[in-house]
Each structure stands twice: as structure tokens, then as C-alpha cells.
Amino acid sequence: MAKPKSGSEEMVDFTHAEETIGREKTLDIVPKQVELDLEYLNDKKRNKRLTRRADARIVPLLSFMYLLNYLDRGNVGNAKVLNQETGDSLLQRTHMTSGGYAIAISLFSVAYTLFEVPSNWIMKRYVRPSLWLSVLLGCWGVLTLGFSGVTNYAEVIVIRFLIGVFEAGFFPGIIYYFTFWYRIEERGSRIAFVAAHANLAGAFGGCIAYGVGHMNGTNGLSGFRWLFIFEGIITAICVPLLVFWLPDYPSSAKWLNEEDRKFGQERLHVDGGGYTGAHASRREILETCFSPRMMTHYFIYCLDSIPLASFTFYTATIVTGLGYTSLEAQLLTIPPWVVGYLFALGLSFSADHFNARGWHIAFGSTLGGLGWLIAGCLPAHAYAARYGCLVLAATGAFPCVPSLSAWVTGNVPSITSMAIATAVNNSAAGISQIIAQWIWIPSEADRGYPTGNFTCAACSFTVAIVAIILRLLYARMNKADVHDVSGFKRVWAL
């Protein structure tokens, strides 16, 4: 990201002042203009040294936790077809229809949409990040373990909805948390590394499902029950790692000295980052939620998440529709996820390096759109070619998520509304997941699911076009020196 050329510049800072009223403390954060030493704060060696130390503590840990998040989110897609040849799949054992499955996942997605903004608000105002993210992790881990005992459709509905409630805040919480530690040009690659582990989760999920599929009937339990038992236990026992290892803020990191803690905070003020507990004004909230520019971001994230949700919940179904058995399908879900993982890392690192998120999103979405489009045009019996198209489609939706998420954090109307923006953006994915449940129509399996393929293709191409429009808009805003809604100078992320 382009840096100011001057040696110093007046930027917004937030001074914390506590006022005690009785036993209650209220936190007032007053914006004021301060002069920042840009030469000092933009010192490349010092910034690199600090970010490497933060990376060692933060990125591997959150990557592994997000892998667990995605395992527990997508395992229902594996369970849907696992051991169906013997009548032991999730649908068969709970007497659930394909339509009932779609409704269950839709309600899960409704929970995502409703609880992402409140979750970020709680983390901003009331609970430190390490503790709040641990609460979410532990709750959905226990619920996943409990899901192994479902016997009817009502239990599936209730438990999946509750899992959605607690999973909802995890990814937007991670994105918001990164703004406490990293500058805009540093976030995309970190978000990518964490988010790309969802692709690994898809690959590992297929491996685990294949393994537990061979345990079908062990101790009288169906294979899908073992799937939820293993994944639920792994998630629950990882809670202490998050509580005791994840640092909350640069200002409270015990492994940094006092000078580094101060530097870690102040360097983020250069481009409008860092933690603030300040209340957003009514205007800032309205601009964040309803301005055409921000709504365009949320719109393309929603569209991009429709193909992504299709991968998450229907990859095994799609591969089964290519003529493979349920166990073979579990293994064949792995290559598309691995390709998506590698492409996500490359695309996001390049987008950050060149400060060119718009162009990279357009490129990835176009490739993914071609995969879906060609798959929809091919004959249903062209199994090998359609599987190749599925792999090509994996280069689209998921690899664009990190860049889309980082782009929002760099272009929020005000730093005080960062928590709202990251949560609203990610909640759009909940709407996408609902849509994705209804485009893979069971009666179209013999025709290669044309509705699903063409819908995903249309979404991908639209994302590409709109990303280019946003990229050109931000270039004009930078040229015109457009300030943010609070009246402060900004360099808008491209």
C-alpha cells in the first residue's frame, strides 16, 4: 500500500480515559489529532521484525482453529452421503429428505447471518479476543459432539442451528482481530493463510470421512456418528490453546517490551487500523451499513460465497453425481480443495504485494466462473471432464475470500465501525449459504446439475466485473484525496 511521502503527518489517534462512576467503569475514547513520526513508524526492518514475532504467536494458531471451524461446518456434507449404500447415511438414519437437509442447512446459515454482528460487538466492547473466540470454539465443539447422537429431523434442525450461532462469530472475529495487529497491506496475506485452511479442512474432511466410513457399524454406531464424535472431541480439547496462547492486543502483549508495545499500536494509526473501543456515531454506522460503496462490497462477497457454499456443503454430492460411490466421493473431494488452498495463498500474497486486490479478485473469479460454465455445458456423462471443471472452479470462489475480506477492512468509512463492517460483510455469506442449498436440485443429478453450475458461473463473472468497477472507483478516490466519513485523510486500498 502506498505510504505518505512526508516525514510526519497528522492522523487520528484515540486517547483512552476511564471515568469511574460508583463501581462501574466506562471507557471514553476521544479522537484527537496527533503528529505521527512516519519515518519511524514506516521503518521496514522494525515493522518486519514485529510482524514476524506476531505471526509466530497468531497465524499458525488461528489457522489451525479455523481448520477446525470449517471441519465442523462442512462435515454435514460428508455425512449426507457417507455409507448411503448400506442405508447408514445421515439422511437415512434420521429419515430426512434432501429438501429437509436443505432446510436444516438454511437455518444454520440464518444463524450465521443473525449472530455475526452481535459477536463482533461483544468482542469489541465486553470480552477480550482470546477469551471470546475460545468460548465460541468450545461451544460449537461440544454441540458437534452432541450431533453424533441425533436420531430425528427435529434434533438435526435444533443442533445445527445452535452450531451456527456459535460458529457465526469466529471468522469475522478473526478478521476484526487482525486489524488490532496488522496494517492493511499485511492483512490480506494473513487472512489468506488462515482462511486457506478451510480448503485443507475440505481435504482433511474427505480423508476423515473416508476413514470413519470403514468404521460403519463399529460399537453399533453409523459411520457419520463417528465422524462427529472425532471432530467434536478434537475441537473441544483445543480450547485451552486459544485461551492461554493467543495475545489480545499489542499494548498488553507480555512478550513485547514497552517500546515495541507502543510501536505496535502507533504504527497501525498510519492507515486507520488498531483497536478502539470508541462508539461509532450514527452517521458512521449508517455509512458502514448502507452506503452504496460498502453495500457493493457486501453484495460481491455474497455472490462469491454462493460457489463457496456449494463447495462446502455439496462437493461430495456433486462428485457422487459423477458416478462414484459415497466412499470414493469422499476421496475425490480432496484435489479441488488442495488446488483451492494453493491458489488462495498465491493470489492473496500477490494481491497484497502489488496493492491490487480488485484485479486479482477479477482474475480468480473469471477462472472459477469458466469452470462452472464449462461444467454446465458438458454432457452429464462426461465425468472426467466435469471433474476437471470442478477443480478449475476451485480457483475462483474460495481464493477470492481473503482479498475481499481484507479489502473491506482497508476501506471502512471509519475505524470505529470496523467491527460492524467485518461482521456485516461476512454475514452476507449466510445469505449465500441459504441460496446454495436450493440450486443443487436432486432431480437434476442425471443432467449434471445445470442450475447449480450456471448459477455459480453467473455469480463468479458478476464478482469479476464489479471488482474491476470498485478498483477504478478507489483509484479515483485516491486521486481526488477523498477523506473518510470522520473527515480524516485516507489512502484507500486498491
Side-chain angles (χ1 to χ4, degrees):
M1 183 170 181
K3 299 293 181 191
K5 296 180 181 178
S6 59
S8 64
E9 184 173 310
E10 286 192 347
M11 301 292 291
V12 64
D13 186 23
F14 294 89
T15 300
H16 297 245
E18 290 186 350
E19 296 180 355
T20 304
I21 305 175
R23 294 185 178 177
E24 297 181 357
K25 286 186 177 180
T26 60
L27 185 63
D28 295 330
I29 301 175
V30 185
K32 66 177 184 179
Q33 293 290 342
V34 298
E35 187 173 281
L36 298 177
D37 184 348
L38 296 185
E39 184 177 354
Y40 169 68
L41 296 176
N42 290 330
D43 185 315
K44 289 185 178 179
K45 288 185 178 179
R46 182 155 195 169
N47 275 285
K48 183 175 289 187
R49 184 169 65 248
L50 181 67
T51 54
R52 282 180 176 174
R53 293 186 69 187
D55 287 345
R57 290 263 180 171
I58 294 170
V59 177
L61 178 61
L62 289 181
S63 296
F64 179 65
M65 298 305 167
Y66 190 58
L67 184 148
L68 297 179
N69 176 273
Y70 228 80
L71 272 178
D72 294 340
R73 185 191 312 186
N75 51 18
V76 68
N78 298 107
K80 176 176 179 282
V81 300
L82 188 62
N83 300 122
Q84 66 181 9
E85 293 85 359
T86 59
D88 294 313
S89 70
L90 171 65
L91 267 62
Q92 292 162 325
R93 282 295 181 177
T94 58
H95 310 290
M96 183 167 41
T97 64
S98 296
Y101 172 82
I103 292 172
I105 302 303
S106 296
L107 289 174
F108 171 84
S109 304
V110 168
Y112 257 71
T113 303
L114 294 178
F115 290 97
E116 284 178 319
V117 173
S119 178
N120 264 15
W121 183 251
I122 290 171
M123 193 171 85
K124 175 180 179 177
R125 298 297 301 175
Y126 303 110
V127 186
R128 58 187 172 90
S130 60
L131 182 58
W132 181 243
L133 293 177
S134 299
V135 168
L136 298 179
L137 180 73
C139 288
W140 93 62
V142 170
L143 286 166
T144 298
L145 183 59
F147 197 83
S148 64
V150 294
T151 57
N152 56 61
Y153 183 54
E155 292 172 354
V156 171
I157 289 285
V158 172
I159 298 179
R160 284 307 292 181
F161 181 82
L162 291 174
I163 291 174
V165 169
F166 292 105
E167 284 193 359
F170 201 72
F171 187 57
I174 290 174
I175 296 171
Y176 181 43
Y177 171 80
F178 276 160
T179 68
F180 305 164
W181 285 89
Y182 299 108
R183 289 176 167 183
I184 174 61
E185 71 270 18
E186 299 165 348
R187 289 174 204 155
S189 55
R190 272 81 180 176
I191 293 172
F193 191 81
V194 171
H197 281 69
N199 294 74
L200 286 187
F204 285 140
C207 291
I208 295 170
Y210 179 78
V212 299
H214 289 91
M215 293 179 63
N216 187 43
T218 301
N219 292 331
L221 298 178
S222 300
F224 83 86
R225 299 192 190 280
W226 285 112
L227 179 67
F228 290 108
I229 289 171
F230 288 142
E231 294 183 0
I233 289 175
I234 292 171
T235 300
I237 64 176
C238 286
V239 170
L241 279 176
L242 209 53
V243 175
F244 297 111
W245 187 256
L246 185 70
D248 292 308
Y249 314 103
S251 60
S252 61
K254 295 180 180 179
W255 42 275
L256 294 175
N257 60 38
E258 185 176 349
E259 187 178 354
D260 283 341
R261 286 195 290 268
K262 183 178 179 182
F263 178 78
Q265 283 184 287
E266 290 185 352
R267 76 187 195 96
L268 299 175
H269 295 161
V270 174
D271 57 11
Y275 171 75
T276 173
H279 290 285
S281 68
R282 182 173 180 272
R283 182 186 177 196
E284 288 168 337
I285 293 173
L286 290 175
E287 283 286 327
T288 300
C289 294
F290 301 112
S291 68
R293 178 175 65 84
M294 294 304 294
M295 289 188 72
T296 302
H297 274 289
Y298 307 148
F299 173 66
I300 60 173
Y301 193 86
C302 178
L303 291 184
D304 183 75
S305 296
I306 292 174
L308 173 59
S310 297
F311 267 105
T312 303
F313 298 111
Y314 282 93
T315 304
T317 300
I318 295 169
V319 175
T320 302
L322 297 178
Y324 299 98
T325 67
S326 65
L327 285 179
E328 290 172 335
Q330 305 301 332
L331 287 179
L332 288 170
T333 62
I334 297 172
W337 286 109
V338 172
V339 169
Y341 172 75
L342 297 174
F343 200 81
L345 292 179
L347 189 79
S348 300
F349 276 97
S350 179
D352 268 9
H353 179 74
F354 293 105
N355 186 30
R357 294 159 194 85
W359 298 126
H360 284 72
I361 291 165
F363 174 70
S365 295
T366 300
L367 280 182
L370 287 172
W372 295 113
L373 179 63
I374 297 170
C377 293
L378 286 171
H381 56 78
Y383 298 134
R386 286 173 54 211
Y387 182 75
C389 289
L390 187 65
V391 175
L392 178 61
T395 64
F398 194 86
C400 292
V401 165
S403 292
L404 285 167
S405 299
W407 213 8
V408 167
T409 68
N411 293 320
V412 290
S414 168
I415 183 177
T416 56
S417 61
M418 183 77 74
I420 298 172
T422 55
V424 171
N425 185 61
N426 207 66
S427 68
I431 300 171
S432 309
Q433 290 171 11
I434 295 171
I435 296 171
Q437 308 315 313
W438 302 99
I439 61 176
W440 301 97
I441 304 169
S443 61
E444 292 185 349
D446 293 339
R447 294 190 288 137
Y449 298 107
T451 299
N453 283 305
F454 291 136
T455 300
C456 289
C459 291
S460 298
F461 291 135
T462 304
V463 169
I465 294 169
V466 178
I468 292 173
I469 294 172
L470 277 176
R471 164 61 177 78
L472 298 175
L473 171 66
Y474 285 125
R476 290 188 61 185
M477 289 171 66
N478 281 334
K479 188 175 182 180
D481 196 23
V482 175
H483 288 40
D484 68 16
V485 70
S486 301
F488 298 115
K489 184 176 181 179
R490 290 281 293 277
V491 180
W492 303 96
L494 303 176

